[in-house]
Amino acid sequence: MMQKTTLNTLQDCEDLLEGALWMGTGGGGSYEEGLDLLREVMEEGFSLEWVKADDIPDSTWTVTVGLHGSIGALSEDTLKAISQAELTENQDEWYLITAVKELGAFINHTFGCIVSGELGPGSVAISLAVSARMGLPLVDGDYIGRAVPEETQSTYCLFGKQSNMFTGVDRWGNIVIVKNGVNMHSLERMAKMLALASYGDIAVATTPLPANEMKEILVPGTITRCLEIGRTLRKAREDGSDPINAGLELVNGWRLFDGIVSRLEIEDRDGYYFGTAYIDGTGVSAGQKLEVWFKNENHITWLNGSPWVCSPDLVTFLDSKSGRGIYNSALKEGDEITAVGMKGLEGFRTELGLSLLGPEHFGFEIDYVPIEELMVGTDSRIEEKP
């Protein structure tokens, strides 16, 4: 019998998604939309739960499903184009479920397990909701240990289990099957172009793997870790202690910078949300400046003009008072934030891994330095909030 972790209350859902905000590094979907989705599923009477990877039989076919597209809000021009095209949302079936079914029919396999492709509140909520509504177990883990903007930045690419196909279904009911992509870069581009054609996002089902292969590349336990982070933050607030320090102690992370967002440069382009946040230091960071470049998620930072923490390590913006993670499309000038850092997956620190998720991949001539080396001699793990 499978041992399950179950979300019994809306508070459980809030805790899970708060933790996922930390691991989403500014992307991975909206907390508010994710919570609304989990609330709907609970009200429909479905159980929100996950199981350990070892409980999934090796012969079970697994699939990953999520949304592709920019995390930016739809522009007035886009909304006008949708209206002019006379598009209305298809009510027959949730398009994420249709994507899973279409992929199963295409490869002639019945899926018995859902795997989250990444972390982040939207991504985790979608995986849980698809699992619940389809009556399939969700495995406790994901394929990256954070959120990323591109399919190529996943462990199935890192370890040579590339999926060469996907089904794409948009909210209007259009269905596309990509039978064979020559490589993951092509698949990524096709998915993003389909999202643009669909005026926002497209549900993508991909990475059909038997469970024995899934287990070889899974980052295990990450869904449970998100729940633990959220509960730790809430308990610290209730106890009157600093939630940021409590969360960092749990994840073994670093408090990088405290400041105020002085300027934002953003661009919604090619199915991604690009931007740079300029942050003026406060408290112990007073007199210093932090710049953070993002492509959906945070990837490159500069401290006082010099390259600093970069992907594959994690950088997340938090509200300085509550410790809640901030979704990059919700970031505003004037926000008082704390930037925190965490170690990325070891596999992405290799030469191949850095070619997929390191600074040079994003077009920056910066040598990657592991965050723990950059933090040597600092007290940022335990530093009290100014």
Side-chain angles (χ1 to χ4, degrees), residues 112 146 155 158 160 165 170 175-176 180 203 230 257 268 356 384:
R146 54 170 292 170
T155 54
L158 185 64
M165 67 183 70
D170 67 19
I175 300 173
V176 177
N180 183 58
F257 198 89
D268 207 331
L356 298 172
E384 288 298 326

Side-chain angles (χ1 to χ4, degrees), residues 6 15 50-51 80 94 105 184 206 252 265 278 326 345 376:
T6 304
D15 290 344
W50 56 87
V51 302
K80 183 178 179 181
W94 193 28
M184 286 302 300
T206 187
N252 203 26
E265 296 176 353
Y278 298 85
I326 300 173
L345 202 64
V376 168

Side-chain angles (χ1 to χ4, degrees), residues 9-324:
T9 66
L10 190 61
Q11 181 65 71
D12 290 337
C13 297
E14 292 175 356
D15 290 344
L16 173 70
L17 298 191
E18 277 228 36
L21 267 173
W22 270 51
M23 306 308 293
T25 62
S30 159
Y31 171 90
E32 289 76 13
E33 292 178 5
L35 187 60
D36 286 344
L37 177 57
L38 295 187
R39 182 187 291 110
E40 287 178 14
V41 174
M42 292 187 81
E43 290 175 351
E44 291 166 3
F46 294 106
S47 182
L48 297 168
E49 57 195 24
W50 56 87
V51 302
K52 293 182 179 180
D54 289 344
D55 289 336
I56 305 296
D58 285 349
S59 60
T60 299
W61 275 86
T62 71
V63 63
T64 296
V65 61
L67 293 175
H68 271 246
S70 169
I71 67 172
L74 296 180
S75 67
E76 290 297 325
D77 287 343
T78 299
L79 293 172
K80 183 178 179 181
I82 291 171
S83 176
Q84 291 175 338
E86 298 182 352
L87 295 172
T88 57
E89 291 197 26
N90 179 31
Q91 301 297 319
D92 293 338
E93 186 175 56
W94 193 28
Y95 61 135
L96 286 124
I97 289 178
T98 302
V100 172
K101 289 182 176 179
E102 289 289 340
L103 183 60
F106 178 65
I107 66 174
N108 197 28
H109 281 296
T110 299
F111 293 116
C113 175
I114 303 295
V115 185
S116 185
E118 64 176 10
L119 301 180
S123 299
V124 170
I126 284 171
S127 298
L128 263 174
V130 171
S131 163
R133 286 174 169 168
M134 295 191 72
L136 303 176
L138 175 70
V139 70
D140 186 6
D142 73 295
Y143 285 141
I144 182 61
R146 54 170 292 170
V148 290
E150 303 167 27
E151 285 281 343
T152 53
Q153 296 154 343
S154 301
T155 54
Y156 45 82
C157 293
L158 185 64
F159 297 111
K161 296 187 182 297
Q162 296 185 0
S163 170
N164 66 339
M165 67 183 70
F166 69 81
T167 54
V169 181
D170 67 19
R171 65 184 67 242
W172 323 116
N174 297 304
I175 300 173
V176 177
I177 297 176
V178 176
K179 178 180 178 181
N180 183 58
V182 295
N183 56 38
M184 286 302 300
H185 294 281
S186 296
L187 285 171
E188 170 70 22
R189 181 170 175 79
M190 284 187 281
K192 283 296 186 287
M193 293 302 105
L194 287 170
L196 288 173
S198 299
Y199 300 104
D201 62 43
I202 188 168
V204 171
T206 187
T207 325
L209 292 174
N212 64 309
E213 295 187 32
M214 173 271 289
K215 295 172 188 177
E216 293 174 3
I217 62 173
L218 186 77
V219 186
T222 55
I223 308 298
T224 296
R225 174 49 64 95
C226 288
L227 181 60
E228 292 172 343
I229 294 171
R231 286 176 171 170
T232 297
L233 298 177
R234 176 166 55 86
K235 186 176 185 300
R237 294 182 197 119
E238 293 170 350
D239 293 344
S241 56
D242 185 347
I244 297 177
N245 285 347
L248 288 176
E249 184 176 356
L250 177 67
V251 301
N252 203 26
W254 292 267
R255 189 175 194 134
L256 300 177
F257 198 89
D258 290 278
I260 296 175
V261 179
S262 59
R263 181 160 57 100
L264 272 175
E265 296 176 353
I266 57 174
E267 181 183 12
D268 207 331
R269 171 171 51 87
D270 300 332
Y272 301 99
Y273 187 64
F274 292 91
T276 302
Y278 298 85
I279 305 160
D280 293 338
T282 58
V284 295
S285 302
Q288 302 191 73
K289 293 185 180 294
L290 180 69
E291 297 176 26
V292 181
W293 180 88
F294 52 85
K295 179 179 182 180
N296 285 4
E297 292 80 21
N298 301 321
H299 295 290
I300 311 294
T301 75
W302 296 263
L303 180 63
N304 301 323
S306 297
W308 202 31
V309 182
C310 297
S311 286
D313 293 326
L314 287 67
V315 174
T316 295
F317 295 143
L318 311 176
D319 178 90
S320 291
K321 295 179 180 178
S322 70
R324 171 176 284 187

